[in-house]
Amino acid sequence: MKIPRILVGAIAALASFSPGFAQGFQQLTAPYGVSGVLPSNTPLGSGVVSADFDGDGDIDIIAAPPYGGMFVMLRNDGGMAFTDVSATSGLGWHGFARCLEVADVDNDGDTDLFVGSALEPAKLFLNNGNGTFVESAAARGLTSADDTYAATFGDYDRDGWIDLYLGNRSTPNGSIAPNRLYRNLGDGYFTDTTATAGVAGSGLALVATFLDFDEDLWPDLLVANDKGAQYGANELFRNNGDGTFANVGAQYNANIAVDGMGLDHLDVFNDGGVDFFCTDLAPTHLFEVWDPVANAYSIQTATYGLQGGYLGWACNFFDYDNDGWQDLHVVHISQPNMLFHNPGQPAAAQVPWTNVAPALGLDQSYSQFTVSVADFDDDGRVDLLQRYALGFPASSEGLTLHQNQVATGNWLKLRTIGRRSNRDGLGARVAVTVGTMTQRQWVRSGVGYLGGSDRRLHFGLGNATLVDHVEITWPSGQVQHLTDIAANQIIDVVEPVLTTPGQVAVGGATTIDLSVPGDELLPYMIVLSLSANTGIALPDGDVIPIDFDFVTALTLDPLNPVLVGSVGTLDQTGAATATLNVPPLPFLSGWTLYGAALTTDQPTFPYARTVLAHPITIAIQ
């Protein structure tokens, strides 16, 4: 193996205490799963999120309370057992809490929580690093007090800090509320940039998500609006890359007037393109498939039998049977939920999907708006956390955990850790190749409805025991490769970086540090230049982000005295350090050097395996 791995799971399937049909989803009962949580009484529901809040590697739960109640926080103790830590969490009590979404807003390595409310001030709970929180919304510039249903995090300006977009319905005075975009200024402090960005929207937003539909690495925005025929259709905002967006829904056939209530997106047919599903009123939902010929979206709901036929809310793609094809779960309020099995056929085959929810024990018919999708026992099978609301038919529980006991294939789960990119890696595109099939997913936020699911990307592998290639394209533009990865494990993928203190005195010395997790023990080169204008193009399309000159030629020499360690082999952690010795020549003061690095892995990668996408800058004092 070439990469360090944090193996969290492959725990046995809890057969010792999980009775019942081993080919479906089993609702767990005390002392396992969750129990005793009150149903939501907030109109149109309230959210639930699943994330690792205490940093111990497994997935915990936070649920919005009924009106005037205390937030529910359940700590995952392993083995599908949870402890209620609500009283000590710091989350406290709340009025009409609606949507919940998580992100590491200050890049400090822990998961923070945003709460959108019904005509009450929004809340931002900063994680103390141990799963307890301090509310800081107003202090951090989040001043919204609208009727907020949607929250999605994404780095729209690609500066390495997570921004926040809110989808709203009404203001305190009863008028239609504009949506809001808050730019993260750094360290989790926000400013409202809605007007300059042009993303206020014109409809009654119920759900919104950042997605890169044109795959130019700039996060776009998709907004699903309720009562679209009356107040405004769904909206697609293309990111112009300069802090502004353009409403291009009509151009790409995404401005469909529906009662949009849930969203999710990924490469559904493993054929390229970003497809999305949007729930709607009966009699049909909305499935839009990317058509590369028309360069637009095509409505294909009926083609694949995904109409549903009931009033839909949350929807989520996940591969429940690990066959390498993403299936689709849809919540229908007071009518049977559905789980559509992806038949694993190309889009052109137009094979309808089958609703397997009745066979798997997932056709609940309770009053319900949302669900959270996560692998709570880290056994490689994705579970479902159902969140119920007051209404008819009524569930006896407000939360139920349904453990996936389907006999499944192999799997791989990835957690992205950004360093130049935002810490969560939100917006990263991950492609997993086994043989001739490549699956693609994005680390995404805001999908489903009112809540959030396990941010780790889960890939089913079928019978494959080895992944040939994983390619991660980070929001920064950095591309990373992993090869020959064993199945059935959870991997923390850390973004490669090249760093330096940034300045050095004439006659002095400084270090340049290279870190490429996944490329352990491979050859590397660190080189310098006096300019970084056009870059050095490699035949495979990669570009070394400096210009070739006499300094580059000098530092390519392994025996050169200026950049000692410029050529060598990465250590067992994927790291290397070179020392820059600046000659004691006064005329060098004021010069600026630019540094770049790459690794090689021939013959698998004929030219370079990893090219650091961004140059470093060193000012000589």
Side-chain angles (χ1 to χ4, degrees):
M1 293 302 301
K2 294 182 178 178
I3 78 168
R5 299 177 301 276
I6 297 178
L7 181 59
V8 180
I11 300 172
L14 303 173
S16 60
F17 64 79
S18 295
F21 56 115
Q23 297 298 313
F25 285 75
Q26 178 67 36
Q27 180 179 334
L28 301 182
T29 57
Y32 307 105
V34 296
S35 60
V37 177
L38 294 174
S40 166
N41 63 2
T42 301
L44 303 186
S46 59
V48 61
V49 288
S50 303
D52 180 11
F53 293 106
D54 55 6
D56 64 354
D58 51 25
I59 302 300
D60 312 301
I61 299 166
I62 294 178
Y67 176 75
M70 177 179 285
F71 280 95
V72 176
M73 183 170 179
L74 303 172
R75 184 188 67 217
N76 190 336
D77 295 325
M80 284 298 201
F82 293 81
T83 298
D84 190 331
V85 294
S86 307
T88 58
S89 67
L91 296 173
W93 301 74
H94 199 69
F96 275 127
R98 286 205 188 280
C99 65
L100 308 183
E101 190 54 278
V102 298
D104 185 355
V105 301
D106 48 6
N107 282 352
D108 65 350
D110 50 43
T111 301
D112 309 305
L113 172 70
F114 173 83
V115 181
S117 304
L119 301 177
E120 295 177 352
K123 292 190 175 184
L124 177 65
F125 291 98
L126 295 182
N127 196 325
N128 294 318
N130 59 358
T132 65
F133 299 86
V134 175
E135 204 288 307
S136 307
R140 296 300 180 113
L142 297 179
T143 58
S144 172
D146 298 317
D147 196 12
T148 300
Y149 282 79
T152 181
F153 285 99
D155 186 4
Y156 81 89
D157 54 0
R158 296 174 60 193
D159 64 351
W161 297 96
I162 288 294
D163 311 303
L164 174 64
Y165 186 74
L166 303 181
N168 299 317
R169 287 174 65 87
S170 61
T171 64
N173 64 16
S175 61
I176 296 177
N179 301 330
R180 296 183 186 270
L181 177 63
Y182 288 96
R183 179 173 178 259
N184 192 331
L185 299 174
D187 211 21
Y189 289 87
F190 295 86
T191 187
D192 190 330
T193 57
T194 310
T196 56
V199 290
S202 59
L204 302 176
L206 279 179
V207 61
T209 183
F210 281 101
L211 82 167
D212 184 12
F213 81 95
D214 53 4
E215 302 198 51
D216 64 354
L217 298 184
W218 292 96
D220 312 301
L221 275 166
L222 177 64
V223 182
N225 290 318
D226 192 14
K227 306 185 188 310
Q230 182 178 358
Y231 292 103
N234 290 352
E235 294 167 296
L236 178 64
F237 296 97
R238 183 180 60 205
N239 192 329
N240 295 322
D242 60 1
T244 68
F245 292 76
N247 191 337
V248 296
Q251 179 180 344
Y252 293 100
N253 195 37
N255 64 332
I256 310 303
V258 295
D259 288 74
M261 288 168 282
L263 279 175
D264 200 359
H265 63 90
L266 44 71
D267 183 357
V268 173
F269 295 101
N270 296 335
D271 59 357
V274 186
D275 314 307
F276 71 86
F277 189 88
C278 177
T279 54
D280 190 8
L281 295 176
T284 184
H285 299 308
L286 176 66
F287 181 37
E288 296 227 47
V289 177
W290 182 255
D291 183 345
V293 177
N295 194 39
Y297 281 103
S298 174
I299 299 174
Q300 297 292 333
T301 318
T303 302
Y304 301 102
L306 299 177
Q307 298 95 321
Y310 303 119
L311 171 56
W313 290 94
C315 58
N316 298 88
F317 286 108
F318 69 100
D319 185 359
Y320 81 89
D321 56 356
N322 287 341
D323 65 352
W325 298 86
Q326 296 288 318
D327 311 298
L328 176 65
H329 182 268
V330 180
V331 170
H332 293 120
I333 188 168
S334 303
Q335 296 291 342
N337 292 344
M338 294 183 178
L339 178 62
F340 294 100
H341 179 254
N342 187 330
Q345 297 295 318
Q350 298 187 348
V351 177
W353 297 26
T354 302
N355 175 27
V356 296
L360 298 178
L362 290 176
D363 56 339
Q364 296 90 345
S365 296
Y366 298 125
S367 178
Q368 180 182 3
F369 294 95
T370 191
V371 68
S372 187
V373 180
D375 184 1
F376 288 101
D377 53 357
D378 285 334
D379 69 346
R381 294 180 288 188
V382 181
D383 312 302
L384 290 174
L385 180 69
Q386 312 280 1
R387 176 61 167 142
Y388 301 113
L390 293 180
F392 181 81
S395 169
S396 60
E397 296 280 353
L399 280 178
T400 59
L401 179 55
H402 297 250
Q403 184 192 36
N404 186 344
Q405 297 180 1
V406 176
T408 66
N410 296 315
W411 53 276
L412 181 70
K413 198 183 303 290
L414 302 169
R415 183 169 78 104
T416 51
I417 301 174
R419 292 196 282 189
R420 185 181 179 96
S421 302
N422 65 84
R423 174 78 182 207
D424 288 330
L426 275 172
R429 180 180 68 225
V430 179
V432 171
T433 299
V434 175
T436 59
M437 187 171 79
T438 297
Q439 306 177 53
R440 301 190 313 154
Q441 295 188 52
W442 286 257
V443 184
R444 56 202 191 274
S445 169
V447 299
Y449 172 66
L450 292 181
S453 296
D454 189 351
R455 195 64 56 71
R456 302 172 299 179
L457 296 185
H458 181 95
F459 294 88
L461 303 177
N463 295 325
T465 59
L466 193 71
V467 173
D468 299 319
H469 185 203
V470 177
E471 181 180 273
I472 305 99
T473 304
W474 294 88
S476 67
Q478 179 64 54
V479 179
Q480 183 175 8
H481 303 276
L482 310 176
T483 53
D484 300 331
I485 309 301
N488 302 328
Q489 60 174 317
I490 302 171
I491 297 176
D492 279 4
V493 181
V494 182
E495 183 179 17
V497 289
L498 183 68
T499 58
T500 186
Q503 62 183 27
V504 61
V506 169
T510 190
T511 58
I512 299 175
D513 297 307
L514 175 63
S515 175
V516 191
D519 287 10
E520 293 80 9
L521 306 180
L522 289 177
Y524 75 87
M525 290 190 298
I526 301 174
V527 290
L528 300 176
S529 173
L530 291 173
S531 62
N533 297 318
T534 59
I536 304 168
L538 299 178
D540 61 357
D542 280 328
V543 176
I544 304 171
I546 60 171
D547 304 326
F548 190 90
D549 57 23
F550 75 93
V551 177
T552 313
L554 172 64
T555 53
L556 276 172
D557 183 350
L559 301 179
N560 83 86
V562 174
L563 188 61
V564 179
S566 62
V567 178
T569 302
L570 297 176
D571 67 16
Q572 293 184 346
T573 68
T577 296
T579 301
L580 171 62
N581 300 302
V582 179
L585 303 173
F587 71 85
L588 294 177
S589 179
W591 284 28
T592 299
L593 297 175
Y594 300 89
L598 58 83
T599 68
T600 61
D601 184 16
Q602 297 175 339
T604 304
F605 296 83
Y607 300 99
R609 175 178 169 118
T610 302
V611 177
L612 275 293
H614 301 276
I616 56 170
T617 302
I618 305 171
I620 301 178
Q621 305 297 306

